[in-house]
Amino acid sequence: MVSTSFTPIASLVGGALIGLSAVLLMWATGRIAGVSGIAARLFPPYQDRQFPGRLAFIAGLVAAPVLVLLVTGSLPAQTIEANPVVLIVGGLLTGFGSVWGSGCTSGHGVCGLSRLSARSLVATMTFMATGMATVLVMRHWN
């Protein structure tokens, strides 16, 4: 059985920061904080005036663990029990799902639900149910 740590304070702070960043991005640019869309539009043919903002958003995601390391002196312990093939296939399926679903967990789950989008509700229910089914199968298949 895989155990997990219960971290209510860190989870609350992290969730608040995600919500705050989504609100600030919407306020400053009128854009939704869909990470997969922002990252995809860093590459051609999407060279437009919003490129610097997209780059700054992704740089912030990459810089966050560095900031945690500088502030706390260590990174949270992480264990990845999947083999590289499973990680690669999972990454590709996630990318395909983001494209096929016209958005990712941040775009639909954070921003879409807060805007009461029915399409985002269906998308979020779909990827949550799929994620739960995947965990159930993978934990009982091994």
Side-chain angles (χ1 to χ4, degrees), residues 25-34 37-43 45-59:
L25 185 67
M26 178 66 85
W27 172 75
T29 67
R31 305 288 303 180
I32 290 178
I38 291 170
R41 285 173 179 82
L42 286 174
F43 302 100
Y46 299 104
Q47 297 296 321
D48 59 15
R49 294 180 313 181
Q50 294 182 3
F51 180 82
R54 290 187 189 111
L55 189 59
F57 189 88
I58 298 300

Side-chain angles (χ1 to χ4, degrees), residues 15 31 60 65 69 72 80 101-102 123:
R31 305 288 303 180
L69 179 61
T72 66
I80 299 175
S102 298

Side-chain angles (χ1 to χ4, degrees), residues 2-73:
V2 177
S3 65
T4 58
S5 299
F6 180 61
T7 57
I9 302 300
S11 301
L12 180 65
V13 170
L17 288 173
I18 290 169
L20 178 62
S21 69
V23 168
L24 287 175
L25 185 67
M26 178 66 85
W27 172 75
T29 67
R31 305 288 303 180
I32 290 178
V35 177
S36 62
I38 291 170
R41 285 173 179 82
L42 286 174
F43 302 100
Y46 299 104
Q47 297 296 321
D48 59 15
R49 294 180 313 181
Q50 294 182 3
F51 180 82
R54 290 187 189 111
L55 189 59
F57 189 88
I58 298 300
L61 293 176
V62 173
V66 176
L67 181 62
V68 168
L69 179 61
L70 291 173
V71 170
T72 66

Side-chain angles (χ1 to χ4, degrees), residues 101 103-104 108-109 113 117-129:
C104 58
H108 285 301
L113 290 180
S117 166
R119 189 177 82 124
S120 289
L121 177 63
V122 171
T124 302
M125 289 181 355
T126 301
F127 60 69
M128 292 299 292

Side-chain angles (χ1 to χ4, degrees), residues 65-117:
V66 176
L67 181 62
V68 168
L69 179 61
L70 291 173
V71 170
T72 66
S74 66
L75 291 172
Q78 295 187 18
T79 303
I80 299 175
E81 297 181 10
N83 67 49
V85 173
V86 170
L87 292 175
I88 291 168
V89 169
L92 291 171
L93 288 173
T94 300
F96 175 75
S98 293
V99 171
W100 196 38
S102 298
C104 58
T105 54
S106 55
H108 285 301
V110 175
C111 299
L113 290 180
S114 65
R115 293 180 12 224
L116 303 177
S117 166

